[in-house]
Amino acid sequence: MRKLLNKMLRMLPLLALVLSFSITHAQRPYAPSAEEDFLITLQNMVQPAGTTNILEFDIYIVDTDPSQDLQMATFQAGINFNLSILNGQAVTATMTTVVAGSSGLPTAMAPISVSTTAAGLIRIAGRAAPGCGGGFIIPTTAPGVKVGTFRMTNGNGTAFAPCSFPNFGFTSSAAITPSYATRFAYYAAATCLNTQATITPGVNANVLENSQLNCSCTPPAVFAVTGGGSYCEGGVGIPVGLSGSQVGVNYAILPGTLVVPGDGNPITFGNQLAGSYTVVATSNGTNPSICPDPVNMTGGADVTATPLVVSTVTVFVDANPVCAGTNVAFLASPVNGGDEPMYEWFVNGISQGIPSFTNTFNFVPVNGDEVYVVMYPDQTCPDGNPVSDVITMSVTPLSTVEFTDAACDTYTWALNGATYTVSGDYTYVVGCVTNILHLTITPSSTVEFTDAACDTYTWALNGATYTVSGDYTYVVGCVTNILHLTITPSGNNEYTESACDSYFWAVSGLTYTASGDYTFVNGCSTNILHLTITPSSTVEFTDAACDTYTWALNGMTYTASGDYNYVVGCVTNVSAPDHHPKQHCRSYRSRL
């Protein structure tokens, strides 16, 4: 780190030279940043009691890095001062001396030679380096080792100019003739080489006091600088002022050229743009009791310009296009909106209410409605109020399509793939179309028929003609009709019969009394009866015989008298033979 900072500091010799001639009353005691981590200070500036032409001051060196020893080799100093304090007296080379015995350094390293030049420069010469290991270890406790007390005496007993400031300031290590460089050499721990450090006034060589000399007047009263803060980039700035003021004193704001006269009240310098501001008070010369030298007011005001924050807002809609009558939700999504941005919604350019913290909006649009939102960011410095893109709503009118259908047991609606088992009205919405199904579900049933026919059969239910036996199905609605059919081929049977008086035909169960051809259909058989009916008649025979009688008509032999019948066809032959005993027949023959 030391080497890096040393290189950076060596790039600023011109700046260091300018700073060595600073006209400020005191150099600010910033922490050192040089390679060696040490600090040289000029402090304890006083005028010995009872003197007006003498002033004294001390020089100290302290090691600000307790982690390592700093072994001093040599030290010299160049100190610029304000020539006007001499009050017209000339500079003499010996007017500045070192007070004997005042140094805390070893005798061989303590300064013994001091000179003063006409340019307003005190030169404190260094001593010969003692060699590595013989150097002085600089203490780490403030204020450090005292190099010495130095005394400046104005010639001829002339008092220093009243209320003047010496304006002491160290020169830098880069100062060259006719100036005189402030230098500090140390023995590097790693190499034991005599190493020159970089001296930068205001960094590691600071003047802590520059007191007024012989001041019998009163310096301007000290007031605090007020104001400061942040304003938005592009704005008019922030007011800077002073907590009070004094009549007879002018107050200048720095940087700038504005001077405001004191009136005994707090004053303002108006709005100031970005920067760090201080105020210097100077007597306007109208009041001799106020010292003429400028006096810094306490504090300062820092004004910063805050960059503008660019915010955006995007609107999202939950549905578009939508059906007429739909309540649509809109969501505003901010970028760089801050903790609590506000939103104002617009429809067709008309505000829908005062801005609120709600980033959602709901309404029922009509076709062509244009929706957007204006966001008011919760930012200290917003770059305007962003407006979202416009969302144009597409609204479709509602419509209804009705379907009427019927099914057995179940029905699957092709429109939605749903299956229904009960009659009813069913609704299915697609987009903005409401589809209504009027459905009738009928339970399935079966009706069976058994029939027979000859050759062919025409089923009256369906008008179909069948020629083969079998089971036939015909569905009407949800009714399944089943025909169990027997087909028998047709056939004829002929009968020839004859009878007397009447005939009972067993096939038909009928009795007939006249000859003729009779037909009786039984199933698929046609029965034909060729019938001959003959009226009945009787032929009687009377005969007599002895002992036995053989009826030639039937060949029967009878041995007893009686009436005998013999039917031939429809003719009943009746025989009444008369039987006689043998003696009777013998008597007869003998009588013959």
Side-chain angles (χ1 to χ4, degrees), residues 64-83:
T64 58
D65 182 5
S67 67
Q68 58 185 340
D69 288 341
L70 179 61
Q71 185 183 171
M72 172 181 158
T74 60
F75 170 75
Q76 71 177 45
I79 302 171
N80 293 305
F81 68 93
N82 178 15
L83 286 172

Side-chain angles (χ1 to χ4, degrees), residues 33-114:
S33 59
E35 177 181 352
E36 306 72 39
D37 294 334
F38 65 89
L39 178 63
I40 302 168
T41 58
L42 185 155
Q43 54 186 291
N44 303 328
M45 195 196 86
V46 296
Q47 285 185 273
T51 67
T52 59
N53 67 330
I54 299 174
L55 65 85
E56 294 178 351
F57 58 87
D58 298 331
I59 294 178
Y60 286 87
I61 303 175
V62 64
D63 181 1
T64 58
D65 182 5
S67 67
Q68 58 185 340
D69 288 341
L70 179 61
Q71 185 183 171
M72 172 181 158
T74 60
F75 170 75
Q76 71 177 45
I79 302 171
N80 293 305
F81 68 93
N82 178 15
L83 286 172
S84 65
I85 66 173
L86 302 183
N87 202 13
Q89 291 296 310
V91 174
T92 62
T94 59
M95 66 184 300
T96 305
T97 60
V98 59
V99 176
S102 63
S103 178
L105 293 170
T107 303
M109 301 180 71
I112 58 173
S113 176
V114 181

Side-chain angles (χ1 to χ4, degrees), residues 498-565:
S498 60
C500 301
D501 301 323
S502 66
Y503 179 79
F504 175 78
W505 194 11
V507 172
S508 65
L510 297 176
T511 298
Y512 305 95
T513 59
S515 298
D517 294 326
Y518 296 97
T519 300
F520 174 67
V521 178
N522 182 16
C524 296
S525 296
T526 299
N527 297 279
I528 301 173
L529 175 62
H530 303 288
L531 179 61
T532 300
I533 296 294
T534 303
S536 296
S537 62
T538 303
V539 177
E540 295 188 14
F541 296 89
T542 302
D543 210 345
C546 296
D547 299 324
T548 64
Y549 179 79
T550 299
W551 195 2
L553 195 61
N554 61 1
M556 297 288 295
T557 295
Y558 303 96
T559 60
S561 296
D563 292 327
Y564 295 96
N565 293 329

